[in-house]
Amino acid sequence: MNFASDNVYGVHPKILGALAQANEGTAPSYGGDGHTIRAEEMLKDVFGCDLRAFLVTSGTAANGLALSTITTGFGAVFCNAEAHIAVDECNSPEFFTGGAKIAGLRGPAGKIAPEQVDKALKGFIRGEHDPKPKGVSLTNATELGTVYSPAEVKGFSDLIRPRGMKLHMDGARFANAVAGLGCTPAELTWKAGVDVMSFGATKNGAMMLEAVVFFDLGLAEDFAYRRMRGGQLLSKSRYLGAQMTAYLDGGLWLENARRANALARRLAKGLAARGKVRIPNPVQANEVFAVMPKAMFDRLQAKGAKFHDWMPNSLGDAIAADEIFARFVLSFATPEEEVDAFVKLVAQD
């Protein structure tokens, strides 16, 4: 019973099969292979627009490199204080951007609101003594398993675009957000004003695969150089391209996400049925956060269940001293019977 992360599970068989097929024979290097070229065309079809897409191996690299196109070293990028770029990627965003300030704002359920950004911007009144506001980064789905709707995303774009700022989306679990909302990828991104995004695949069935996707084509002008300097241009690029084409083919990416999301709802329903467990945030993607007694947490861990004691920052005083704010992440590969077995364990408490 492993709910520690969607990263703990392996690669989808269709993607493994595509890798094996791509391994046959020879192919041009450094992005000139047919798989990589087709991957960009498929991403254009997915989003229904002209775009530029660059394949990389990790979400950390995707975020840092994407942010480097919207800010300078003296700039500031606003995000939720618990966002991955703020707390989970060492100083990678600062490294790739040349020292830009990642300005974290506190918000409920892993989200922030345009009003918070507006208030923060009104505090930047000292000219060159403050960093220059350059962008906003939204994580969708968020670190707490909630999602921004297209209307919410557009609210940020409407606020910052007149100020010359850019909108980035960290989409490490973008598939789960799209599946949870039932909207189109276009509605959640470029139609809502997103300029550049990190399009995640690793957490949703790939081996090591992310894409930096530019809807503002001007931002992509020098990105080939940025990717190369960042050590993310693979010589055997066909192995990234093959993963992406298999991931997108036939809607596999959304199929995987729908299954993971459904399992998260199943787990949340089972936990909520127990009087000692409460679910403070809506379950909108593939993560479940539950408040439970520490004694229950310890007993479940001792029984072999793997899940994390998470940061309760967004809940504040809602967590008692003898309670745990627990995180559960469901994968496309999580066995359904393990979810049911875990719920039965909880019922024994």
Side-chain angles (χ1 to χ4, degrees), residues 12-230:
H12 192 281
K14 289 184 179 179
I15 296 177
L16 275 179
L19 283 167
Q21 188 175 22
N23 197 49
E24 299 295 327
T26 63
S29 306
Y30 299 109
D33 62 281
H35 298 287
T36 301
I37 294 169
R38 182 168 175 248
E40 183 167 358
E41 293 305 312
M42 292 179 74
L43 282 165
K44 291 179 182 179
D45 290 339
V46 164
F47 287 97
C49 68
D50 192 19
L51 54 77
R52 292 298 313 279
F54 298 82
L55 306 184
V56 297
T57 61
S58 76
T60 297
N63 282 335
L65 287 167
L67 291 172
S68 76
T69 69
I70 70 173
T71 184
T72 59
F74 53 80
V77 175
F78 299 93
C79 64
N80 185 278
E82 297 178 44
H84 220 261
I85 64 169
V87 299
D88 288 303
E89 296 179 353
C90 192
N91 296 82
S92 176
E94 292 87 346
F95 170 76
F96 280 111
T97 60
K101 186 176 185 63
I102 304 301
L105 305 174
R106 291 287 173 198
K111 298 168 73 173
I112 54 174
E115 294 77 17
Q116 291 176 272
V117 176
D118 187 41
K119 182 179 179 180
L121 288 171
K122 289 175 180 175
F124 283 65
I125 59 176
R126 302 186 304 151
E128 67 271 23
H129 292 277
D130 292 315
K132 186 175 183 179
K134 299 291 285 186
V136 169
S137 178
L138 303 177
T139 309
N140 213 11
T142 73
E143 301 299 332
L144 293 183
T146 53
V147 300
Y148 289 98
S149 69
E152 288 176 308
V153 175
K154 187 175 184 300
F156 288 94
S157 176
D158 290 345
L159 170 69
I160 68 174
R161 192 168 298 278
R163 293 170 165 86
M165 298 166 65
K166 299 294 185 180
L167 185 57
H168 166 258
M169 181 173 286
D170 178 351
R173 294 187 176 97
F174 180 72
N176 301 98
V178 172
L181 287 165
C183 64
T184 68
E187 289 169 338
L188 198 53
T189 54
W190 64 269
K191 287 187 176 181
V194 173
D195 296 294
V196 58
M197 74 173 298
S198 305
F199 180 81
T202 306
K203 295 179 186 297
N204 193 38
M207 179 178 290
M208 46 180 158
L209 173 68
E210 317 288 314
V212 181
V213 178
F214 291 94
F215 305 109
D216 181 337
L217 301 185
L219 293 177
E221 182 178 353
D222 294 324
F223 192 78
Y225 296 94
R226 294 178 187 272
R227 181 175 62 170
M228 182 64 179
R229 186 182 67 167

